[in-house]
Amino acid sequence: MRSSMLLAAGLAAALSTPAVAQDAYVVGITAALTGPPASTYAPAIDALRIYIDRVNKAGGVNGKKINLVIQDDSAEPSKAAANAKKLLTQDNAVLMINASLSSTYAPVVAEARNAGVPLLFASSVCPKDVYPPAKEGQFCTTAFAATYDSRAALAFIKETAKEPVKIGFSAMAIPLSRGEIDFAESQAGPLGMTAVDKEIIPPPTADYTPFATKIKDAGANWVFSWAPWVTQVRTFEALRRLGWAGDYVTWAHLEAEGELKRIKDNKLFVVGANALFEDDLPVQREIAAAVKEAGGKYPAEQMTEGWIAGMVIEAAIKGAGKDANAAKIQASMQNLKVDLKGLRGGPIEWTKDNHFRTRQFYRVYRWDGSKIALVKDWFAFDVK
Amino acid sequence: MQLAVNIVVLSAIYALIACGYVLIYRVSRVLNLAHGELMMLGAYLLLTTASLFGGNPWMAIGAALLLSLVVGGLVYVLLMRKMTGEMVLAAVLATVALGILLRGVMVLIWSAQQQYPGQALGFSNPALVLPGGARISLMAALLVGVTAVTYLGLFVFLRFGRWGVRMRAAGQNPLLAAQRGINLHAIYALAWGLSTFTGSIAGMLMALDSGLTNSMVIVGLKAFPAALVGGLDSLVGALIGAAIIGASEVLSIQYIDPLLSDVIPFLVLIVMLVLRPWGLFGTREELDRV
């Protein structure tokens, strides 16, 4: 407890550190570090902080350090707007990061555009504006991608199912999750599946059993859920408690690896764009060591998203040269290719028209009885 | 049958939370809007005691319950006592501020990620098959039982217990109670302690059933309509209110639209406020005092 308190005090002090280093590149971050969805964003920002600290210890980029100025927006648009204004006008950030709910995007995008500063969405869902034809100034490194994720999951189900698929859907009652599940439902029919039920579950739900009861009673033998992890996993566990024995496919959020080990169910499949740490790649060992050394608050396996953002930020600033300013960094980001060392199936590659990636790779994992096992290796969709 | 079980479980959750709102309001006329946060704090305290007493889960649970009782008392002693003599609104706003503070502190201490106290305690949560084929998780069944025991215990305590009678007296007429030698501050501290204690039980059991995230605080808020519908100064009302809210929520999921489940408690609340603002079992006089 004492160490937790010290850690908390240290984090509070770190978050309140003003951007005073004039010889540093200031990167401003508005993130949902508290509030209900914080479990998705806080680990990513912790990873980004650890990554940038390592870069700084190694001498920085172009001989200058990177100064991360982190502001908590609690996933509230008004706070995000105030954060963005402060980061851009007082701290003079040369790059803005948004790691929060999509409801915070509009004010942050507006502030960044007005200031002429590029905006990177890292761990928060990629907005439409980063897909081709991309709007100027907005970029995204986040793994999950609307419509592509459903296509990947449904393709996997079609390939794996041995009997006619009666599929149920589960989403959280937030626009993004609902939109994706609506899209998935529309794709089920053309793929020869029968959509039997769709549950849109409010975020603050005390008991998921009533929703699970409907899915089970509808006769689903497969369920696909694309929502924040809490909705995905609680719906699944409620289904199992009801005696449902079907297959469940869901998005591999940051929590997925630890949760597969906890749940130990070989019919729970996670589809994701990041390699799980079960792969034991050299870069994953490097992340684990860095997290251990830095005393990170979150398990190493939840660090991938933030680590990738760190790699991209480092590359973007490096590409902009020693006198990097907002305009030069934006130009650098429009022509960027970052090798992710196996953390994903392919590189982050941005062009003038594509600020997402040119190919979106997926993998499927599950628990095989004794460990996490790869069910389907990298397969990709071209992003056009 | 499964539908009935679902209604009973959700109603029990709301009832166990709602009695905390009622206890404090009944005794001190304060709406504790930090109740959800205090409930969540109880669950996080269990997480901590589980790691401290990993080999002895019952000691961990006992320590967490004791801590939650103490925390509730301390909230009164260190914060709410200063509100004595101030407008009720000031006290309510103090609970709002307390809630915001607790939310931030909990994220800093325990992080934002999903946690599983049951795993730390070595508990499993199997499904029990009931007559008629309905299923209920062990922890949900426990929650229903604990809710019944809690309400029974509170009834006996308030009806026959010396301190319970004093609490009722302080609630009905604090001036007269004080003149009769009742220590009002001790009574109020006890009410806060008991309220946090019962809320914490709800938080712990929910966390043991399905895990713990900081969104639990919103569940605490959703139980508030149950207390209001039943009548803020009536424990029986809280029980009935919870049953109404729980049933309307589950039935709307089953027969109308799952999305309605989020708003139905507040629709019921609005209807109640229009027809009978003091709630089903509340008293008109109590409302006037607010």
Side-chain angles (χ1 to χ4, degrees):
Chain A
M1 175 63 84
R2 192 170 171 225
S3 61
S4 295
M5 293 294 286
L6 287 172
L7 189 65
L11 182 63
L15 295 185
S16 61
T17 304
V20 291
Q22 295 299 315
D23 57 344
Y25 302 111
V26 178
V27 175
I29 300 175
T30 179
L33 300 177
T34 59
S39 63
T40 304
Y41 306 106
I45 296 305
D46 207 34
L48 178 57
R49 180 183 60 78
I50 292 168
Y51 184 91
I52 296 298
D53 281 351
R54 271 167 48 104
V55 169
N56 286 340
K57 274 184 193 165
V61 182
N62 304 327
K64 288 168 77 170
K65 295 198 170 178
I66 298 173
N67 183 17
L68 285 185
V69 184
I70 305 169
Q71 301 282 322
D72 178 23
D73 61 31
S74 306
E76 292 174 19
S78 58
K79 281 189 187 172
N83 288 347
K85 192 175 273 295
K86 184 246 178 197
L87 291 164
L88 293 164
T89 58
Q90 292 178 33
D91 298 314
N92 298 316
V94 292
L95 174 63
M96 268 296 297
I97 313 286
N98 181 302
S100 191
L101 279 189
S102 53
S103 55
T104 66
Y105 289 6
V108 177
V109 167
E111 293 292 343
R113 192 193 304 121
N114 290 343
V117 171
L119 172 61
L120 173 65
F121 297 92
S123 81
S124 47
V125 69
C126 299
K128 279 182 181 170
D129 291 344
V130 304
Y131 294 90
K135 278 193 179 169
E136 200 176 59
Q138 295 180 50
F139 303 84
C140 187
T141 57
T142 309
F144 48 93
T147 72
Y148 290 98
D149 295 353
S150 288
R151 288 167 60 193
L154 294 176
F156 168 73
I157 292 171
K158 187 176 167 61
E159 185 183 302
T160 310
K162 293 180 175 60
E163 54 192 32
V165 176
K166 288 187 278 181
I167 189 165
F169 296 97
S170 153
M172 184 185 268
I174 53 176
L176 192 74
S177 177
R178 283 186 72 178
E180 184 67 6
I181 285 300
D182 285 345
F183 173 78
E185 187 185 27
S186 73
Q187 298 299 301
L191 287 169
M193 304 173 189
T194 308
V196 293
D197 188 43
K198 180 174 69 177
E199 294 300 312
I200 310 293
I201 304 173
T205 296
D207 184 14
Y208 283 74
T209 316
F211 303 97
T213 303
K214 277 186 75 184
I215 296 174
K216 181 181 175 242
D217 289 350
N221 56 2
W222 283 82
V223 171
F224 171 52
S225 179
W226 196 89
W229 184 258
V230 62
T231 296
Q232 296 183 163
V233 75
R234 288 191 182 181
T235 308
F236 171 73
E237 291 187 293
L239 278 163
R240 281 291 185 258
R241 282 198 289 270
L242 289 170
W244 182 74
D247 298 82
Y248 195 94
V249 180
T250 196
W251 178 253
H253 283 292
L254 301 179
E255 301 95 327
E257 191 157 5
E259 292 281 85
L260 284 176
K261 289 176 187 166
R262 179 182 68 83
I263 297 167
K264 295 184 171 59
D265 189 307
N266 63 5
K267 286 185 168 183
L268 171 61
F269 301 92
V270 294
V271 178
N274 293 336
L276 298 191
F277 271 57
E278 195 71 16
D279 292 1
D280 199 26
L281 300 168
V283 66
Q284 291 170 328
R285 289 198 289 271
E286 189 185 334
I287 294 171
V291 170
K292 193 175 175 186
E293 188 187 335
K297 289 177 73 178
Y298 299 92
E301 69 224 28
Q302 296 191 15
M303 297 283 122
T304 304
E305 207 57 58
W307 201 265
I308 288 171
M311 294 166 89
V312 169
I313 291 167
E314 182 187 14
I317 295 176
K318 195 172 186 178
K322 189 168 176 56
D323 299 322
N325 54 23
K328 287 180 180 173
I329 291 172
Q330 185 166 313
S332 164
M333 291 170 90
Q334 287 180 169
N335 183 23
L336 191 76
K337 186 172 182 177
V338 181
D339 176 10
L340 300 179
K341 302 177 183 175
L343 289 173
R344 288 194 186 150
I348 289 276
E349 191 170 7
W350 290 334
T351 63
K352 195 171 188 309
D353 291 329
N354 185 339
H355 299 170
F356 173 66
R357 63 217 65 155
T358 51
R359 300 193 84 201
Q360 171 76 342
F361 290 83
Y362 292 96
R363 254 182 175 180
V364 185
Y365 294 89
R366 71 165 178 174
W367 181 260
D368 77 350
S370 59
K371 63 177 192 320
I372 292 172
L374 189 62
V375 180
K376 184 172 170 59
D377 207 352
W378 297 118
F379 59 107
F381 295 88
D382 290 329
V383 178
K384 293 172 183 169
Chain B
M1 184 64 183
Q2 187 64 52
L3 192 66
V5 171
N6 293 346
I7 290 172
V8 168
V9 170
L10 192 59
S11 302
I13 291 171
Y14 288 155
L16 196 49
I17 301 169
C19 73
Y21 286 112
V22 171
L23 274 172
I24 289 179
Y25 182 80
R26 181 173 171 148
V27 175
S28 63
R29 306 290 178 275
V30 173
L31 291 173
N32 175 19
L33 295 182
H35 191 54
E37 283 81 359
L38 288 166
M39 173 185 82
M40 189 164 76
L41 179 63
Y44 276 118
L45 286 173
L46 178 62
L47 194 68
T48 298
T49 56
S51 62
L52 290 175
F53 307 107
N56 193 335
W58 300 111
M59 184 179 280
I61 292 171
L65 288 173
L66 186 65
L67 279 172
S68 63
L69 190 71
V70 171
V71 165
L74 284 176
V75 168
Y76 176 75
V77 172
L78 300 177
L79 177 66
M80 300 313 294
R81 186 175 169 154
K82 318 286 182 200
M83 298 290 128
T84 308
E86 302 291 339
M87 286 165 48
V88 170
L89 185 62
V92 175
L93 289 177
T95 67
V96 172
L98 174 69
I100 293 169
L101 176 75
L102 285 175
R103 254 178 279 161
V105 168
M106 283 187 275
V107 169
L108 285 173
I109 295 176
W110 287 286
S111 88
Q113 65 182 332
Q114 178 136 327
Q115 318 255 16
Y116 295 93
Q119 199 177 27
L121 291 167
F123 288 171
S124 60
N125 187 22
L128 310 175
V129 182
L130 303 175
R135 286 170 170 254
I136 185 172
S137 70
L138 175 64
M139 292 301 162
L142 203 58
L143 191 143
V144 174
V146 166
T147 302
V149 169
T150 301
Y151 271 81
L152 192 65
L154 285 172
F155 174 77
V156 171
F157 172 72
L158 291 169
R159 192 86 170 178
F160 304 111
R162 176 180 289 185
W163 282 88
V165 172
R166 288 174 181 172
M167 278 176 77
R168 284 163 53 209
Q172 282 176 11
N173 193 328
L175 182 63
L176 190 60
Q179 286 172 344
R180 297 286 295 169
I182 292 175
N183 183 342
L184 288 183
H185 289 308
I187 291 292
Y188 293 156
L190 179 63
W192 275 86
L194 280 178
S195 166
T196 308
F197 180 79
T198 54
S200 294
I201 294 175
M204 289 176 200
L205 285 167
M206 279 193 288
L208 289 172
D209 190 32
S210 55
L212 172 58
T213 63
N214 56 5
S215 63
M216 180 186 276
V217 69
I218 305 171
V219 177
L221 198 62
K222 282 184 80 176
F224 191 51
L228 281 170
V229 166
L232 258 177
D233 58 334
S234 167
L235 279 173
V236 174
L239 205 55
I240 304 293
I244 292 171
I245 297 292
S248 56
E249 204 172 314
V250 172
L251 292 173
S252 69
I253 292 168
Q254 185 71 25
Y255 296 114
I256 311 173
D257 185 337
L259 273 176
L260 258 187
S261 67
D262 208 21
V263 295
I264 207 92
F266 298 95
L267 280 177
V268 174
L269 176 61
I270 288 170
V271 170
M272 182 55 67
L273 288 175
V274 169
L275 298 177
R276 196 178 159 90
W278 51 93
L280 284 175
F281 291 84
T283 49
R284 206 168 188 158
E285 291 76 14
E286 301 300 335
L287 188 81
D288 290 342
R289 289 187 192 183
V290 181

